[in-house]
Amino acid sequence: MRFVLLSLTVLATVASYVSAADHEDVKVEVTNPVECSRKTQRGDKIEVHYRGTLAQDGSQFDASYDRGEPLSFTVGNGQVIKGWDEGLLGMCVGEKRLLTIKPDFGYGNQAMGPIPAGSTLIFETELMGIAGVKKDEL
């Protein structure tokens, strides 16, 4: 019995770390691969440059590049949309990804500024840094 409970616990833990690339609500395309030994993990404070567009017509709704300053947040902590919390895990500094995020992992059926309710979002992302990680650890 103890073995069965331990097995179920391990299985649940492994299932919670399934890559966002395997999830139908978030499509991850690595557009600039980078090799590193230290990739982003849940709880890391990261800096990300991004450009967000609507899948329906390609119109841009936001871009940190335009402001000249990346967005800083803790990944996997609910500070950003779920598609980002999942789609930016396992990333190396300097890596670029294209995230296609369906509404359930974006803003759902709620309009958000220039983003209509029920929108599929496309983000060009670039990881600029992981707080507290020295360059020689990357």
Side-chain angles (χ1 to χ4, degrees):
M1 181 67 152
R2 201 175 267 172
F3 175 76
V4 172
L5 288 176
L6 180 60
S7 296
L8 288 174
T9 302
V10 169
L11 187 59
T13 301
V14 170
S16 71
Y17 288 99
V18 170
S19 168
D22 296 332
H23 200 286
E24 64 187 40
D25 287 318
V26 181
K27 178 184 171 199
V28 178
E29 178 186 340
V30 177
T31 58
N32 182 47
V34 174
E35 292 295 321
C36 66
S37 58
R38 176 59 164 83
K39 299 179 182 209
T40 55
Q41 305 167 5
R42 289 185 195 283
D44 282 341
K45 185 168 184 174
I46 62 173
E47 291 188 336
V48 177
H49 259 311
Y50 67 92
R51 176 172 290 105
T53 58
L54 300 174
Q56 67 189 33
D57 63 7
S59 62
Q60 179 178 302
F61 56 82
D62 192 18
S64 67
Y65 291 109
D66 295 348
R67 292 186 294 278
E69 187 173 326
L71 179 66
S72 179
F73 64 96
T74 302
V75 69
N77 204 18
Q79 294 180 355
V80 292
I81 59 174
K82 191 171 183 178
W84 272 39
D85 269 344
E86 299 298 323
L88 299 177
L89 293 174
M91 201 169 177
C92 295
V93 172
E95 183 177 324
K96 294 181 181 182
R97 292 183 178 181
L98 185 68
L99 306 178
T100 302
I101 302 172
K102 298 222 177 147
D104 286 347
F105 275 53
Y107 295 105
N109 290 322
Q110 176 181 349
M112 184 65 64
I115 303 170
S119 293
T120 295
L121 310 173
I122 299 175
F123 287 97
E124 300 168 31
T125 63
E126 178 179 5
L127 183 63
M128 304 304 292
I130 304 171
V133 176
K134 298 175 186 167
K135 287 190 178 188
D136 60 344
E137 294 179 51
L138 299 171

